[in-house]
Amino acid sequence: MKLAALVCLMGISSLSFAAATEKKIQLLKDPNGRTMPLVREDIVTLERLQNMFMMDARTPGLHAMLKRNTFKHRQKAVPVLIKVMKDSKYPEQNRWHATMLLAQVMGTKSAPFIAKFADHPHWMMRVAALKALLGLRQTEYHAVYAKALKDPSLIVRVQALDNISQLKISSLGPNVWSMMYDQSNYTGEKGARKRTSIVKSIIRTVGDVKFEKAQKPLAKLIQKPKYQDLIEDLDYSLEKITGEVSPNSVEQRRKFWSKVALTNDKKI
């Protein structure tokens, strides 16, 4: 039934879409600055591509099909991808794919447009924007990443940390460290709060960006038994920040980092 529906869907035509698409696509230019030609076959197949984005995102093979048909047209598919990204009638997962495909087709030129979706009402599109910017290795969107660290969605905050960590954006170290004191990263009532899984990511990201001001607090935390579940993460960040390599056992690590913290205090 899904195959039949797909064939039927791909066969649908719309003159209004064709006219609108033709007008938009003709604004695009090839690498030599010449207007890109559009033939009737392009209009028909691009309409089919747009209709594919309306399909159930769980349809087997849909992602591969979207990618194959998008790369068949490359820049000519850009107006379709933008339409899908902006229109809430399309399934959110398909809008995610449209975002990723736009980044792949247009490269860094698409970054300013994609960055705007970091403020999208739906969390999945905000994550998609951050993920696409990471794929494009965009290190300059500090304000976008900083804002995402305070996003209402935990998944968005985790993705923002991943961007900062992988892109090594050291200037956002203070923003990352402040998340340790952000109550939205904990659950439960005051006085009985518990850490959520994001705390591990926060600690590791602090190490990845080598935020030196976190060294002493981390060295203190690793001494406390109640942070036993975080010892690997604390040790990881302390090694990253200091450049030192700690011993293997828990007790030896605690002694080691206690001495390192005292030594660095004397240097200061």
Side-chain angles (χ1 to χ4, degrees), residues 6-26:
L6 174 60
V7 173
C8 179
L9 185 58
M10 292 176 66
I12 298 173
S13 63
S14 168
L15 293 177
S16 59
F17 167 78
T21 304
E22 182 175 5
K23 182 177 179 181
K24 290 181 180 179
I25 292 176
Q26 286 179 335

Side-chain angles (χ1 to χ4, degrees), residues 98-225:
T99 306
M100 297 301 129
L101 289 169
L102 180 66
Q104 292 173 47
V105 169
M106 296 300 292
T108 56
K109 291 181 180 179
S110 65
F113 177 75
I114 290 174
K116 295 178 181 179
F117 284 79
D119 288 322
H120 195 275
H122 198 285
W123 67 265
M124 187 176 288
M125 290 302 292
R126 298 199 297 276
V127 173
L130 294 173
K131 193 80 172 177
L133 290 174
L134 174 58
L136 293 171
R137 311 303 295 176
Q138 296 298 293
T139 59
E140 66 268 34
Y141 289 91
H142 294 190
V144 171
Y145 302 147
K147 184 177 181 180
L149 292 176
K150 298 180 179 180
D151 195 274
S153 169
L154 179 67
I155 298 176
V156 176
R157 298 199 297 274
V158 170
Q159 183 59 55
L161 286 171
D162 193 35
N163 283 39
I164 294 167
S165 174
Q166 290 198 45
L167 297 174
K168 300 292 188 291
I169 306 177
S170 58
S171 63
L172 290 179
N175 303 73
V176 174
W177 181 243
S178 69
M179 294 177 74
M180 291 290 289
Y181 307 96
D182 187 338
Q183 296 305 305
S184 65
N185 295 315
Y186 299 82
T187 60
E189 298 298 324
K190 187 176 181 180
R193 294 192 182 279
K194 294 182 179 180
R195 298 184 294 273
T196 62
S197 58
I198 196 175
V199 174
K200 289 177 176 285
S201 297
I202 294 169
I203 292 172
R204 284 183 172 263
T205 302
V206 164
D208 288 330
V209 299
K210 295 181 171 58
F211 183 56
E212 293 184 358
K213 289 185 179 179
Q215 178 182 314
K216 189 173 180 179
L218 293 176
K220 287 183 177 180
L221 290 178
I222 206 169
Q223 309 300 322
K224 301 179 180 181

